[in-house]
Amino acid sequence: MTDSKKRQSARARKQRSCTKMEDCLIEDQTTFYSKAEHYWKEVPPTVDGMLGGYGSISSIDINGSKLFLQKFLGEGQGKTGTGCALDCGAGIGRITKRLLLPLFRTVDLVDVTQEFLDKARSYLGEEAKQVENYFCCGLQDFQPQPKRYDVIWIQWVIGHLTDDHLVEFLRRCRSGLRPDGLIVVKDNVAFEGVIPDDVDSSVCRDLNVLHRLVARAGLNIICEEQQQNFPEEIYQVHTLALR
């Protein structure tokens, strides 16, 4: 599940912004998740579908992510290894193919939509032999294998988790890291508060809210950057490295 999105108008933000996600939810959590699953089942399994119609930004996104991630990879004290990575909300494997497989020996994918994972097997081509696992599961229920991953990459998907489930998921991810491993969160950032999206049943959080949730999970932000050169009409996108 990945998606870049247009920003809402200032008036809409003021009318709908909340201080925490749960205040934005009208329906119960089960409905919140089921509506999102239904939305993604109707999205075509293409790069353009994964990016909400903004397939043209894929290369800009990948290049920015690669520059960010390569700062941490290597050998020696404090450096992150290149053995195994996890792609969360992987969709058809856009990030796996362009970012993770060239840098890691093996990659696992997790996504809630089975059709996307089925498509990933053909989309990845020859590189699919480096993929060990395709997990069909919502992140609110996903349990990473302890101490398996050097990097856990979480992009354009945290808005599909409630605050509590996001905190719990990040804690499980921390347990899934190898020594000097890294969690990377890359996502849309709201101007203020928490902005709900009724179309795909998600929210967009501002940085202060996201920082508080990261702290609740017991993680530290070791680096944070804003993605550059994206269209002005979409949300700002920030990348956070966590340990």
Side-chain angles (χ1 to χ4, degrees), residues 6-174:
K6 287 187 178 181
R7 290 178 292 186
Q8 296 185 7
S9 68
R11 181 179 180 182
R13 288 198 303 265
K14 186 174 182 181
Q15 288 176 337
R16 305 203 63 202
S17 176
C18 312
T19 58
K20 60 182 181 179
M21 180 184 172
E22 280 70 12
D23 294 338
C24 293
L25 293 182
I26 299 174
E27 66 276 275
D28 59 75
Q29 288 186 7
T30 301
T31 304
F32 174 73
Y33 287 118
S34 64
K35 284 176 63 177
E37 287 190 38
H38 177 76
Y39 169 85
W40 287 105
K41 286 179 179 178
E42 300 300 317
V43 171
T46 62
V47 170
D48 207 47
M50 299 300 96
L51 292 174
Y54 282 89
S56 61
I57 70 171
S58 184
S59 292
I60 298 171
D61 169 59
I62 294 295
N63 290 337
S65 296
K66 188 175 297 184
L67 288 172
F68 183 88
L69 184 56
Q70 285 181 323
K71 293 185 293 188
F72 305 100
L73 303 182
E75 298 180 356
Q77 186 174 2
K79 287 291 187 177
T80 298
T82 56
C84 186
L86 174 65
D87 186 355
C88 298
I92 64 171
R94 181 187 70 91
I95 294 167
T96 291
K97 182 179 180 72
R98 300 281 308 280
L99 175 68
L100 300 178
L101 286 177
L103 296 175
F104 295 87
R105 286 191 294 275
T106 62
V107 178
D108 291 345
L109 285 73
V110 56
D111 197 276
V112 74
T113 306
Q114 184 62 53
E115 183 184 6
F116 293 166
L117 295 175
D118 293 341
K119 177 66 176 180
R121 289 174 165 85
S122 60
Y123 173 74
L124 295 175
E126 280 295 312
E127 293 96 332
K129 62 187 178 184
Q130 293 172 246
V131 176
E132 291 196 355
N133 296 289
Y134 298 84
F135 299 109
C136 187
C137 184
L139 297 185
Q140 70 273 17
D141 299 316
F142 184 68
Q143 176 69 60
Q145 180 180 325
K147 299 181 180 179
R148 173 171 173 80
Y149 301 106
D150 293 294
V151 167
I152 296 178
W153 192 272
I154 310 167
Q155 182 164 346
W156 278 325
V157 69
I158 62 170
H160 286 294
L161 295 174
T162 66
D163 287 354
D164 288 345
H165 283 165
L166 176 55
V167 169
E168 292 165 5
F169 176 62
L170 289 175
R171 288 171 178 163
R172 296 196 299 272
C173 286
R174 182 179 58 182

